[in-house]
Amino acid sequence: MNQKKERGQLIVLSGPSGVGKSTVIAELFSQRSNIYFSVSYTTRQPRVGEQDGVNYNFVSREEFERMIADDELLEYAEYVDNYYGTSIKLIREKLDAGIDVLLDIEVQGAAKVRARCPDALFIFIIPPSFEELSRRLHRRNTDSEDVIAGRLAKARQEFREIPKYDYLVINDKVANAVHEIEAILTAAECRVDCRSRMLAQFA
Ligand code: 5GP
């Protein structure tokens, strides 16, 4: 259901680099309206095909550190030698306007969001196996062997954080992962506390 909501739902999606999150997110957004993708800020270099302001806002380390100092970030983390962070301003505006907001962030950032926004939905997405994750990272062909090794080691650490999440989605096939996320979002929309204004007429 895509009708306007009383308040937008903050959705945190985490999963190791290479799991296919971007593809899943693109497919989810093609099927769903009233949802906004929070474009993160990062100090890493753009990959081939990535666009500034679309995939990320690519900024210098100095600019990122200024944003931290000025308290402009809902959360941020250092991940494989680069900063990644979520600007707070636009997210607030969207949620207040009844629009869902999806954050694609790693586990340290997600833990910070959990502390600040306990009502957010926390979803972790995994590949069908560790071997498949390695295959996908190699197939992507954008990072050096060293970077891939770093990302795989990081993935092992991240999997230990899964118990802190509410939902686990398996990306064996994109369509299945999207279907599971849709089901989670629909269930959240049906929560009594999300429909209090609608419920008032039956009082
Ligand atoms: P990549 O370099 O592969 O695009 O992203 C590396 C990791 O950083 C991914 O796990 C991604 O979810 C995470 N990430 C992207 N944006 C943010 C952000 O704003 N904050 C945090 N904490 N992590 C982010």
Side-chain angles (χ1 to χ4, degrees), residues 113-128:
V113 177
R114 169 79 85 181
R116 290 182 75 169
C117 314
D119 293 339
L121 274 184
F122 293 84
I123 305 173
F124 197 98
I125 180 161
I126 53 168

Side-chain angles (χ1 to χ4, degrees), residues 12-141:
V12 174
L13 186 67
S14 298
S17 182
V19 74
K21 262 177 307 173
S22 312
T23 312
V24 169
I25 290 170
E27 187 56 31
L28 180 72
F29 275 63
S30 75
Q31 293 183 19
R32 211 175 166 82
S33 57
N34 201 39
I35 184 163
Y36 168 79
F37 178 73
S38 163
V39 180
S40 295
Y41 286 76
T42 185
T43 59
R44 90 151 157 71
Q45 292 299 309
R47 295 198 185 106
V48 176
E50 283 184 332
Q51 279 176 274
D52 190 27
V54 176
N55 306 90
Y56 283 103
N57 296 299
F58 295 99
V59 294
S60 66
R61 246 185 133 74
E62 293 68 36
E63 171 61 4
F64 200 98
E65 284 167 355
R66 186 206 58 75
M67 294 178 80
I68 298 172
D70 290 348
D71 211 12
E72 291 180 12
L73 300 174
L74 170 65
E75 62 73 37
Y76 70 93
E78 250 189 301
Y79 184 96
V80 195
D81 299 331
N82 282 299
Y83 279 128
Y84 294 82
T86 306
S87 166
I88 205 161
K89 189 170 169 287
L90 213 55
I91 290 180
R92 266 207 199 115
E93 285 171 17
K94 299 286 177 192
L95 294 175
D96 289 347
I99 298 166
D100 293 341
V101 176
L102 186 128
L103 308 184
D104 164 2
I105 63 176
E106 52 67 67
V107 295
Q108 303 165 69
K112 291 183 194 162
V113 177
R114 169 79 85 181
R116 290 182 75 169
C117 314
D119 293 339
L121 274 184
F122 293 84
I123 305 173
F124 197 98
I125 180 161
I126 53 168
S129 68
F130 198 79
E131 291 67 37
E132 177 58 20
L133 182 66
S134 173
R135 266 196 296 276
R136 287 181 192 177
L137 280 171
H138 281 93
R139 218 180 315 150
R140 191 158 76 178
N141 215 12

Side-chain angles (χ1 to χ4, degrees), residues 138-149:
H138 281 93
R139 218 180 315 150
R140 191 158 76 178
N141 215 12
T142 50
D143 294 318
S144 67
E145 273 305 315
D146 277 1
V147 171
I148 291 176

Side-chain angles (χ1 to χ4, degrees), residues 149-182:
R151 287 177 186 270
L152 286 172
K154 194 84 182 170
R156 285 202 189 275
Q157 285 174 20
E158 289 181 317
F159 290 142
R160 293 193 205 112
E161 303 299 313
I162 292 174
K164 296 181 185 160
Y165 284 73
D166 303 316
Y167 298 97
L168 187 60
V169 164
I170 301 165
N171 186 22
D172 53 349
K173 287 208 178 88
V174 173
N176 293 346
V178 170
H179 180 72
E180 290 188 352
I181 295 172
E182 281 277 12

